Amino acid sequence: MTLPSFVSGAWWTPADDAGAAVVRDASTGDEITRVSTAGIDLGGALEYARTVGQRSLGGLTFHQRAVLLKRFAQVLTERKAELYALSARAGSTTRDAMIDVDGGIGVLFTYSSKGRRELPNAQLYLDGPAETLSKDGTFLGRHVYTRLPGAVVQINAFNFPVWGPLEKFAPAFLAGVPTIVKPATPTAYITEAWVRMLVETGLVPDGALQLVSGAVPGLFDLLRLGDVVAFTGSASTAAALKAQTPDGVRFMSETDSINASVLGPDATPGTPVFDAFVRQLMVELTAKTGQKCTAIRRAIVPAASVADVAAALEAKLTKVVIGDPHAEGVTMGPVVSLAQRDEVMRGVRKLVDAGGEVMVGSTAAPEVMRADGTVGSAPDGAFVAPVVVGFGPDAPDVVHEVEAFGPVTALIGYDTVEEAAELVGRGGGSLVTSVATDDRSFAAALLPLIGPYNGRVLFLDSVDARTSTGHGSPVPHLVHGGPGRAGGGEELGGVRAVLHFMQRTAVQGSPQMLTAVTGVWHPGADVSEGEHPFRKPLSRLRIGDRIASGEREVTLEDIETFAHFTGDTFYAHMDEAAAAANPFFPGRVAHGYLLVSFAAGLFVDPDPGPVLANYGLENLRFVTPVSPGDRIRVELTAKQITPRETDDYGEVRWDAVIRNQNDDLVASYDVLTLVTKE
Ligand code: NAP
């Protein structure tokens, strides 16, 4: 049976499987499926994304897309056991499968939640505040993100058939850009399974998600401005594909990386940090049989501790049970294929030939537990034993260049912090480096030296040793990617990743025009005064609706009452001489918080009504001090309205400005309220 693709709104399989790649069970060599795209209409798929997919996603706001992402996450959660079962055939234990499957589902949940909390319920995203470009405020500028008009073509690595495509799909979907997923051949059947699960729900907007199960010949020639290539895989494939990508098409790449983990000089054997370091090293060596782009390829430890680290690691590795993940008790499966096993062994040989000493493990084919529980050799399975290869500080370049993509790590000794940093940097740019130390000055000295060479740095100390998510786990909240050899790209990182699929444009115009094109009120744009805006539910409230208050005098008695009532008797409010000696105040002045409280008293409409709650202030600035006898007034203008998709209310951001009797700006801030829809 040839693995289907899902293109142009329908499932598709080639007429025959001539020339198809055969995908086999990693433990037994049994055939699982065949992969071929002979005869597929890739141009049609691309056009379907650009037309149908763009239209269906373009009809939704960020929040509506975010709600769908949560539904997708729920569907996959209900069916994750099926994905674990398929992953076992690729060599994954349940722990390995959870990294990929639950990790991918977690990305969907996180982007759903961030989309609803951090993006507006709209289609544009505003970046930073408006800039005033003319003295009288009639000419403004602002950065605005709009979604790209094309398709995202994802090319994925074999080792994360669920998490890999989903960590790109979630932000692209949220941005409103359709995705075409091309999984790597050896695990394409796992990607096909989750795509099918989502398609079966009927919830995926037409054209928003397509799947090409196999090669994509000629596709790159059809790409154009507005499309994106999001690649994950080896550096050599990245270079070849980048060269094929037409000018103007965004090319994001996440490639292999010779990640490092540094043990601090304080973390000697017997300390909790030493134990945490070894535990982490052990996890990174064996999880997914070392087939993680973020795995530790170089453990950089004080020269005096090299033997101790090797011994501690050896003690742990004796407990590893290598075998078919279908057998009870197996803790490490095979790598994905025999070809991959041979590739790993070639990498190990390069390390040994360059002078490395096999300190732990063996390069011989291991005895393994078979699916039926018997132990012995398994020539058709892609099994590799964990290997640790030791080097001194003068480790040859090969150590910093060869990624043996399996359970393999090099152990390198160092003497000084500078030497440790230099060794990290010789990786040529990494996805992640972890540093295990309780010595905060060592960590502080290291960060500026290794930061430029890493996409992520994790400090492991005795405080977070138990709670850390680990060296090898990118989290959706933080960026994943790395400079140089690691591909130079960036993924995840919350809303940052959504913006990779949008174009930032500096938009200039009058306040009226910026208000009209962004849907957010800008100072100087038209306002409407009349019925108190706190009487209006979202169905009637409009941006620009304003309440302008009358004046209120601020007396010395007010200041003293407030000071004694709150306990804030800071000298600037209480002591005329001391206040006058302060460079900012003419004498005693009102508390900023008193002014904000008076302002609320001036603008509020007290009766029960559509406004449910005040949930905060943002961007509060006190500008001109208020002296006893000054009079203040406030203007409150509806600035941004964000109805919630799944509630009967929404958020209203109000522009608040307090001025004194001379029209000087006293304070400005945003008031955040929750308001009913009806
Ligand atoms: P790979 O051999 O470079 O393949 C990656 C993808 O490129 C596969 O989908 C492959 O498809 C495709 N591909 C190859 N030639 C192509 C062509 N001419 N046109 C279009 N697509 C083409 O990498 P891999 O062996 O799958 O994955 C392992 C590597 O990925 C490791 O080096 C690992 O470090 C890296 N990786 C990096 C990250 C990261 O986030 N930085 C994450 C995971 C993995 P086929 O399989 O169909 O050939």
Side-chain angles (χ1 to χ4, degrees):
M1 141 99 178
T2 312
L3 195 67
S5 294
F6 183 70
V7 283
S8 303
W11 289 98
W12 176 94
T13 37
D16 61 61
D17 63 3
V22 178
V23 177
R24 299 185 181 280
D25 184 295
S27 302
T28 62
D30 294 344
E31 180 172 332
I32 298 175
T33 189
R34 290 175 179 230
V35 171
S36 163
T37 52
I40 198 169
D41 179 9
L42 294 174
L46 207 47
E47 217 32 49
Y48 195 75
R50 291 183 187 135
T51 52
V52 178
Q54 278 281 338
R55 255 198 315 278
S56 53
L57 285 170
L60 304 173
T61 62
F62 289 122
H63 286 206
Q64 289 165 335
R65 296 176 203 137
V67 169
L68 282 173
L69 286 181
K70 186 168 178 184
R71 300 288 299 278
F72 300 161
Q74 288 164 336
V75 169
L76 296 185
T77 302
E78 282 160 20
R79 300 187 64 178
K80 64 185 181 183
E82 294 169 57
L83 296 172
Y84 293 173
L86 286 175
S87 304
R89 304 213 67 187
S92 294
T93 62
T94 303
R95 175 186 72 159
D96 297 339
M98 285 170 74
I99 296 172
D100 186 32
V101 175
D102 296 58
I105 292 171
V107 170
L108 291 176
F109 274 124
T110 303
Y111 272 91
S112 173
S113 139
K114 284 196 164 284
R116 282 172 292 142
R117 271 190 280 118
E118 297 174 26
L119 294 174
N121 196 358
Q123 304 210 339
L124 300 182
Y125 178 75
L126 305 184
D127 173 27
E131 303 282 345
T132 305
L133 303 173
S134 72
K135 274 202 175 125
D136 67 354
T138 60
F139 188 54
L140 307 178
R142 188 151 201 185
H143 294 99
V144 174
Y145 278 91
T146 52
R147 73 200 171 102
L148 295 180
V152 179
V153 173
Q154 291 186 6
I155 311 279
N156 296 282
F158 74 79
N159 57 332
F160 283 107
V162 183
W163 177 85
L166 286 176
E167 58 113 15
K168 298 183 175 100
F169 169 70
F173 185 86
L174 205 45
V177 187
T179 293
I180 299 174
V181 175
K182 182 241 170 291
T185 296
T187 51
Y189 59 97
I190 305 172
T191 306
E192 191 267 354
W194 71 252
V195 170
R196 185 176 289 278
M197 289 172 189
L198 293 190
V199 170
E200 278 172 6
T201 64
L203 293 169
V204 182
D206 275 350
L209 175 63
Q210 299 185 75
L211 172 76
V212 177
S213 300
V216 287
L219 180 66
F220 279 57
D221 298 336
L222 304 174
L223 300 178
R224 62 180 193 220
L225 181 66
D227 296 327
V228 180
V229 176
F231 173 82
T232 302
S234 59
S236 53
T237 311
L241 294 185
K242 190 166 186 189
Q244 290 176 34
T245 304
D247 289 344
V249 174
R250 273 186 208 179
F251 186 91
M252 312 198 292
S253 90
E254 297 301 331
T255 60
D256 46 300
S257 161
I258 314 298
N259 311 296
S261 183
V262 180
L263 181 66
D266 58 305
T268 48
T271 60
V273 176
F274 181 91
D275 293 344
F277 175 82
V278 173
R279 203 163 46 237
Q280 178 176 267
L281 203 48
M282 161 77 184
V283 167
E284 294 303 319
L285 200 52
T286 56
K288 291 186 66 67
T289 319
Q291 299 166 108
K292 285 198 307 180
C293 50
T294 49
I296 298 169
R297 301 291 167 210
R298 297 172 298 152
I300 299 173
V301 311
S305 294
V306 169
D308 292 320
V309 170
L313 207 49
E314 182 152 38
K316 284 195 180 296
L317 285 172
T318 53
K319 299 188 192 123
V320 174
V321 181
I322 303 174
D324 186 326
H326 293 98
E328 191 83 27
V330 163
T331 58
M332 192 178 93
V335 295
V336 75
S337 64
L338 293 178
Q340 194 59 33
R341 178 198 64 186
D342 296 346
E343 182 67 31
V344 173
M345 295 323 294
R346 268 195 294 278
V348 174
R349 225 167 325 183
K350 280 187 195 160
L351 295 176
V352 172
D353 289 349
E357 175 201 349
V358 175
M359 297 186 77
V360 183
S362 154
T363 54
E367 295 267 288
V368 303
M369 187 180 283
R370 305 184 190 102
D372 61 6
T374 57
V375 174
S377 66
D380 296 327
F383 296 100
V384 187
V387 182
V388 178
V389 186
F391 292 90
D394 51 354
D397 288 346
V398 170
V399 182
H400 307 288
E401 288 167 1
V402 171
E403 182 200 43
F405 202 58
V408 182
T409 194
L411 193 53
I412 309 169
Y414 75 87
D415 288 318
T416 64
V417 63
E418 291 78 17
E419 210 168 270
E422 199 217 317
L423 288 168
V424 170
R426 283 177 69 190
S430 301
L431 295 171
V432 53
T433 289
S434 55
V435 182
T437 184
D438 264 338
D439 180 343
R440 292 177 186 139
S441 53
F442 173 77
L446 206 54
L447 182 60
L449 301 177
I450 65 171
Y453 296 96
N454 283 281
R456 178 163 61 89
V457 172
L458 181 151
F459 287 107
L460 190 65
D461 64 12
S462 50
V463 178
D464 66 10
R466 292 272 159 205
T467 52
S468 153
T469 47
H471 169 103
S473 303
V475 291
H477 316 70
L478 301 180
V479 291
H480 169 61
R485 152 134 207 186
E490 222 178 56
E491 294 175 335
L492 299 177
V495 166
R496 290 176 190 86
V498 178
L499 305 181
H500 294 156
F501 304 100
M502 304 185 81
Q503 175 64 40
R504 182 169 55 199
T505 305
V507 178
Q508 295 171 288
S510 65
Q512 289 80 351
M513 190 57 81
L514 285 195
T515 296
V517 299
T518 62
V520 174
W521 182 82
H522 287 71
D526 302 335
V527 296
S528 162
E529 293 180 34
E531 185 186 6
H532 194 293
F534 278 22
R535 304 309 315 161
K536 296 183 182 178
L538 297 190
S539 58
R540 289 196 295 116
L541 186 71
R542 299 286 174 267
I543 57 167
D545 281 355
R546 166 177 286 181
I547 155 86
S549 79
E551 279 189 348
R552 170 173 189 152
E553 184 179 336
V554 180
T555 66
L556 191 58
E557 196 187 341
D558 290 332
I559 296 172
E560 293 201 335
T561 303
F562 189 79
H564 294 301
F565 179 50
T566 60
D568 179 355
T569 52
F570 187 62
Y571 72 87
H573 315 303
M574 306 306 286
D575 180 334
E576 184 65 27
N582 176 303
F584 299 110
F585 303 127
R588 292 175 72 178
V589 293
H591 305 66
Y593 302 129
L594 170 60
L595 302 174
V596 169
S597 303
F598 275 168
L602 288 169
F603 67 60
V604 82
D605 179 87
D607 293 332
V611 177
L612 303 174
N614 167 354
Y615 74 98
L617 302 180
E618 275 183 7
N619 309 322
L620 174 59
R621 285 289 175 279
F622 298 118
V623 182
T624 307
V626 169
S627 303
D630 283 353
R631 296 187 308 280
I632 60 164
R633 62 193 169 77
V634 61
E635 282 172 355
L636 189 79
T637 312
K639 189 180 202 170
Q640 186 171 20
I641 301 174
T642 309
R644 290 200 183 169
E645 282 303 316
T646 47
D647 292 302
D648 296 332
Y649 57 89
E651 286 136 32
V652 179
R653 177 180 290 267
W654 305 84
D655 182 82
V657 174
I658 304 177
R659 294 185 187 279
N660 66 15
Q661 67 281 359
N662 304 321
D663 247 8
D664 300 324
L665 180 64
V666 166
S668 65
Y669 49 104
D670 288 355
V671 177
L672 309 173
T673 59
L674 299 176
V675 179
T676 55
K677 287 182 175 169
E678 290 301 336

